[in-house]
Short mmCIF file of all heavy atoms in Angstrom, two decimals:
data_model
loop_
_atom_site.label_atom_id
_atom_site.label_comp_id
_atom_site.label_asym_id
_atom_site.label_seq_id
_atom_site.Cartn_x
_atom_site.Cartn_y
_atom_site.Cartn_z
N ALA A 1 -90.44 -74.17 -2.51
CA ALA A 1 -91.30 -73.52 -1.43
C ALA A 1 -90.48 -73.14 -0.16
O ALA A 1 -90.62 -72.04 0.27
CB ALA A 1 -92.43 -74.44 -1.05
N LEU A 2 -89.53 -74.04 0.22
CA LEU A 2 -88.78 -73.68 1.32
C LEU A 2 -87.81 -72.57 1.03
O LEU A 2 -87.58 -71.67 1.90
CB LEU A 2 -87.90 -75.00 1.75
CG LEU A 2 -88.68 -76.19 2.32
CD1 LEU A 2 -87.83 -77.33 2.56
CD2 LEU A 2 -89.36 -75.75 3.64
N ASP A 3 -87.19 -72.54 -0.24
CA ASP A 3 -86.37 -71.40 -0.61
C ASP A 3 -87.07 -70.07 -0.50
O ASP A 3 -86.44 -69.08 -0.06
CB ASP A 3 -85.87 -71.67 -1.92
CG ASP A 3 -84.81 -70.63 -2.37
OD1 ASP A 3 -83.75 -70.50 -1.74
OD2 ASP A 3 -84.95 -69.98 -3.47
N ALA A 4 -88.34 -70.04 -0.73
CA ALA A 4 -89.02 -68.84 -0.80
C ALA A 4 -89.42 -68.35 0.69
O ALA A 4 -89.54 -67.16 1.02
CB ALA A 4 -90.35 -68.86 -1.44
N GLN A 5 -89.43 -69.35 1.63
CA GLN A 5 -89.67 -69.08 3.00
C GLN A 5 -88.49 -68.59 3.89
O GLN A 5 -88.59 -67.84 4.82
CB GLN A 5 -90.39 -70.26 3.67
CG GLN A 5 -91.74 -70.54 2.97
CD GLN A 5 -92.30 -71.89 3.59
OE1 GLN A 5 -91.76 -72.53 4.48
NE2 GLN A 5 -93.52 -72.24 3.06
N PHE A 6 -87.34 -69.21 3.49
CA PHE A 6 -86.11 -68.87 4.32
C PHE A 6 -85.50 -67.61 3.83
O PHE A 6 -85.64 -67.19 2.73
CB PHE A 6 -85.09 -70.12 4.16
CG PHE A 6 -85.45 -71.29 5.00
CD1 PHE A 6 -86.45 -72.11 4.71
CD2 PHE A 6 -84.78 -71.44 6.25
CE1 PHE A 6 -86.85 -73.20 5.49
CE2 PHE A 6 -85.09 -72.56 7.04
CZ PHE A 6 -86.15 -73.44 6.70
N ASP A 7 -84.69 -67.01 4.78
CA ASP A 7 -83.86 -65.72 4.43
C ASP A 7 -82.70 -66.02 3.57
O ASP A 7 -81.97 -65.10 3.11
CB ASP A 7 -83.61 -65.00 5.74
CG ASP A 7 -84.78 -64.34 6.33
OD1 ASP A 7 -85.85 -64.16 5.56
OD2 ASP A 7 -84.76 -64.15 7.53
N TYR A 8 -82.26 -67.32 3.57
CA TYR A 8 -81.01 -67.72 2.85
C TYR A 8 -81.45 -68.80 1.83
O TYR A 8 -82.43 -69.47 2.03
CB TYR A 8 -79.94 -68.18 3.78
CG TYR A 8 -80.47 -69.25 4.85
CD1 TYR A 8 -80.56 -70.54 4.53
CD2 TYR A 8 -80.80 -68.76 6.12
CE1 TYR A 8 -81.01 -71.41 5.49
CE2 TYR A 8 -81.24 -69.71 7.12
CZ TYR A 8 -81.35 -70.98 6.75
OH TYR A 8 -81.74 -71.85 7.70
N PRO A 9 -80.66 -69.03 0.77
CA PRO A 9 -81.04 -69.92 -0.23
C PRO A 9 -81.10 -71.40 0.32
O PRO A 9 -80.24 -71.87 1.16
CB PRO A 9 -79.89 -69.84 -1.31
CG PRO A 9 -79.27 -68.45 -1.01
CD PRO A 9 -79.39 -68.31 0.50
N VAL A 10 -82.11 -72.14 -0.23
CA VAL A 10 -82.20 -73.54 0.07
C VAL A 10 -82.29 -74.28 -1.34
O VAL A 10 -83.18 -73.99 -2.06
CB VAL A 10 -83.40 -73.88 0.91
CG1 VAL A 10 -83.61 -75.41 1.10
CG2 VAL A 10 -83.39 -73.13 2.24
N ARG A 11 -81.30 -75.06 -1.68
CA ARG A 11 -81.26 -75.72 -2.97
C ARG A 11 -80.80 -77.17 -2.92
O ARG A 11 -80.21 -77.63 -1.90
CB ARG A 11 -80.27 -74.96 -3.88
CG ARG A 11 -80.70 -73.53 -4.27
CD ARG A 11 -79.53 -72.78 -4.90
NE ARG A 11 -78.46 -72.47 -4.03
CZ ARG A 11 -77.33 -72.06 -4.34
NH1 ARG A 11 -76.94 -71.88 -5.70
NH2 ARG A 11 -76.33 -71.83 -3.49
N LEU A 12 -81.12 -77.76 -3.99
CA LEU A 12 -80.56 -79.19 -4.18
C LEU A 12 -79.54 -79.11 -5.35
O LEU A 12 -79.83 -78.57 -6.47
CB LEU A 12 -81.73 -80.17 -4.58
CG LEU A 12 -82.72 -80.52 -3.55
CD1 LEU A 12 -83.78 -81.28 -4.14
CD2 LEU A 12 -82.08 -81.25 -2.35
N ILE A 13 -78.26 -79.57 -5.09
CA ILE A 13 -77.30 -79.44 -6.24
C ILE A 13 -76.67 -80.82 -6.35
O ILE A 13 -76.71 -81.71 -5.43
CB ILE A 13 -76.17 -78.49 -5.73
CG1 ILE A 13 -75.52 -78.89 -4.51
CG2 ILE A 13 -76.83 -77.06 -5.54
CD1 ILE A 13 -74.32 -78.03 -4.09
N PRO A 14 -76.18 -81.12 -7.54
CA PRO A 14 -75.41 -82.35 -7.81
C PRO A 14 -74.19 -82.41 -6.97
O PRO A 14 -73.61 -81.47 -6.62
CB PRO A 14 -75.10 -82.31 -9.29
CG PRO A 14 -76.06 -81.31 -9.87
CD PRO A 14 -76.36 -80.36 -8.80
N VAL A 15 -73.79 -83.63 -6.59
CA VAL A 15 -72.60 -83.75 -5.75
C VAL A 15 -71.37 -83.29 -6.35
O VAL A 15 -70.53 -82.68 -5.72
CB VAL A 15 -72.50 -85.26 -5.39
CG1 VAL A 15 -71.22 -85.64 -4.66
CG2 VAL A 15 -73.67 -85.83 -4.60
N GLU A 16 -71.28 -83.47 -7.76
CA GLU A 16 -70.12 -83.07 -8.39
C GLU A 16 -69.91 -81.51 -8.51
O GLU A 16 -68.87 -80.96 -8.70
CB GLU A 16 -69.96 -83.67 -9.82
CG GLU A 16 -71.17 -83.26 -10.70
CD GLU A 16 -72.33 -84.23 -10.63
OE1 GLU A 16 -72.29 -85.05 -9.64
OE2 GLU A 16 -73.15 -84.14 -11.48
N VAL A 17 -71.03 -80.78 -8.33
CA VAL A 17 -70.97 -79.34 -8.37
C VAL A 17 -70.53 -78.78 -7.02
O VAL A 17 -70.12 -77.64 -6.91
CB VAL A 17 -72.31 -78.80 -8.83
CG1 VAL A 17 -72.32 -77.22 -8.84
CG2 VAL A 17 -72.67 -79.30 -10.25
N ALA A 18 -70.82 -79.57 -5.94
CA ALA A 18 -70.51 -78.97 -4.65
C ALA A 18 -69.03 -78.73 -4.47
O ALA A 18 -68.18 -79.45 -4.91
CB ALA A 18 -71.04 -80.06 -3.60
N ARG A 19 -68.71 -77.60 -3.74
CA ARG A 19 -67.34 -77.20 -3.53
C ARG A 19 -66.72 -77.92 -2.26
O ARG A 19 -66.45 -77.35 -1.20
CB ARG A 19 -67.21 -75.67 -3.28
CG ARG A 19 -67.75 -74.88 -4.52
CD ARG A 19 -67.88 -73.43 -4.16
NE ARG A 19 -68.51 -72.69 -5.25
CZ ARG A 19 -68.69 -71.36 -5.21
NH1 ARG A 19 -68.34 -70.68 -4.04
NH2 ARG A 19 -69.29 -70.75 -6.18
N LEU A 20 -66.69 -79.27 -2.46
CA LEU A 20 -66.20 -80.09 -1.38
C LEU A 20 -64.97 -80.94 -1.76
O LEU A 20 -64.90 -81.34 -2.91
CB LEU A 20 -67.32 -80.95 -0.91
CG LEU A 20 -68.60 -80.38 -0.38
CD1 LEU A 20 -69.67 -81.39 -0.02
CD2 LEU A 20 -68.25 -79.52 0.89
N SER A 21 -64.12 -81.21 -0.81
CA SER A 21 -62.93 -81.99 -1.06
C SER A 21 -63.46 -83.44 -0.88
O SER A 21 -64.65 -83.79 -0.54
CB SER A 21 -61.94 -81.75 -0.06
OG SER A 21 -62.27 -82.02 1.23
N ALA A 22 -62.57 -84.38 -1.25
CA ALA A 22 -62.98 -85.79 -1.20
C ALA A 22 -63.21 -86.24 0.26
O ALA A 22 -64.13 -87.01 0.52
CB ALA A 22 -61.80 -86.66 -1.77
N ASP A 23 -62.49 -85.64 1.19
CA ASP A 23 -62.64 -85.99 2.65
C ASP A 23 -64.01 -85.43 3.11
O ASP A 23 -64.75 -86.16 3.78
CB ASP A 23 -61.56 -85.39 3.50
CG ASP A 23 -61.74 -85.63 4.91
OD1 ASP A 23 -61.68 -86.85 5.37
OD2 ASP A 23 -62.02 -84.61 5.72
N GLN A 24 -64.37 -84.19 2.68
CA GLN A 24 -65.68 -83.65 3.02
C GLN A 24 -66.83 -84.41 2.38
O GLN A 24 -67.98 -84.65 3.12
CB GLN A 24 -65.70 -82.17 2.58
CG GLN A 24 -64.81 -81.23 3.43
CD GLN A 24 -64.76 -79.85 2.92
OE1 GLN A 24 -64.89 -79.62 1.66
NE2 GLN A 24 -64.50 -78.85 3.84
N ARG A 25 -66.65 -84.92 1.19
CA ARG A 25 -67.77 -85.75 0.58
C ARG A 25 -67.91 -87.00 1.34
O ARG A 25 -69.09 -87.47 1.47
CB ARG A 25 -67.29 -86.01 -0.90
CG ARG A 25 -67.52 -84.78 -1.73
CD ARG A 25 -67.13 -85.11 -3.21
NE ARG A 25 -67.13 -83.92 -4.01
CZ ARG A 25 -66.92 -83.80 -5.34
NH1 ARG A 25 -66.64 -85.03 -6.03
NH2 ARG A 25 -66.99 -82.69 -6.00
N ALA A 26 -66.90 -87.56 1.83
CA ALA A 26 -66.94 -88.86 2.53
C ALA A 26 -67.72 -88.57 3.90
O ALA A 26 -68.52 -89.39 4.33
CB ALA A 26 -65.61 -89.39 2.84
N ARG A 27 -67.33 -87.46 4.51
CA ARG A 27 -68.05 -87.14 5.74
C ARG A 27 -69.49 -86.88 5.55
O ARG A 27 -70.37 -87.25 6.42
CB ARG A 27 -67.35 -85.92 6.37
CG ARG A 27 -65.96 -86.18 6.92
CD ARG A 27 -65.12 -85.01 7.23
NE ARG A 27 -65.93 -84.11 8.20
CZ ARG A 27 -65.57 -82.91 8.47
NH1 ARG A 27 -64.58 -82.28 7.85
NH2 ARG A 27 -66.29 -82.18 9.35
N VAL A 28 -69.91 -86.17 4.41
CA VAL A 28 -71.31 -85.95 4.11
C VAL A 28 -72.06 -87.28 3.91
O VAL A 28 -73.20 -87.44 4.34
CB VAL A 28 -71.42 -85.03 2.87
CG1 VAL A 28 -72.90 -84.98 2.45
CG2 VAL A 28 -70.92 -83.62 3.21
N ALA A 29 -71.32 -88.17 3.18
CA ALA A 29 -71.93 -89.49 2.97
C ALA A 29 -72.24 -90.19 4.22
O ALA A 29 -73.10 -91.01 4.37
CB ALA A 29 -71.09 -90.29 2.02
N ARG A 30 -71.38 -89.94 5.28
CA ARG A 30 -71.60 -90.65 6.55
C ARG A 30 -72.70 -89.91 7.32
O ARG A 30 -72.95 -90.25 8.55
CB ARG A 30 -70.40 -90.66 7.40
CG ARG A 30 -69.14 -91.52 6.71
CD ARG A 30 -68.11 -91.87 7.81
NE ARG A 30 -67.51 -90.60 8.29
CZ ARG A 30 -66.33 -90.05 7.67
NH1 ARG A 30 -65.69 -90.74 6.69
NH2 ARG A 30 -65.81 -89.07 8.15
N GLY A 31 -73.31 -88.87 6.87
CA GLY A 31 -74.40 -88.14 7.61
C GLY A 31 -73.92 -86.96 8.38
O GLY A 31 -74.71 -86.26 9.04
N GLU A 32 -72.73 -86.47 8.21
CA GLU A 32 -72.23 -85.31 8.86
C GLU A 32 -72.72 -84.08 8.10
O GLU A 32 -72.94 -84.06 6.87
CB GLU A 32 -70.77 -85.27 8.95
CG GLU A 32 -70.23 -86.43 9.85
CD GLU A 32 -68.69 -86.33 10.02
OE1 GLU A 32 -68.18 -85.08 9.95
OE2 GLU A 32 -68.02 -87.33 10.46
N VAL A 33 -72.84 -82.94 8.88
CA VAL A 33 -73.11 -81.59 8.27
C VAL A 33 -71.82 -80.89 8.05
O VAL A 33 -70.96 -80.75 9.06
CB VAL A 33 -74.10 -80.82 9.15
CG1 VAL A 33 -74.28 -79.45 8.62
CG2 VAL A 33 -75.38 -81.62 9.34
#
C-alpha cells in the first residue's frame, strides 16, 4: 500500500540481497540509515 502511495519504490528485501558491505550491514543493524 505504501509503495503505491509513494513516488519512489518502497520494498522489503532479504538482507543477503541488499547491496551492502559488511560494515554497512553492521551499521544498519545498529539502527543507522
Side-chain angles (χ1 to χ4, degrees):
L2 292 172
D3 182 59
Q5 296 175 1
F6 280 77
D7 290 335
Y8 47 83
V10 178
R11 291 171 291 166
L12 292 174
I13 61 171
V15 175
E16 59 271 12
V17 177
R19 303 173 183 176
L20 298 175
S21 63
D23 178 67
Q24 289 174 330
R25 291 182 182 181
R27 290 167 56 193
V28 169
R30 292 197 300 267
E32 295 184 23
V33 174

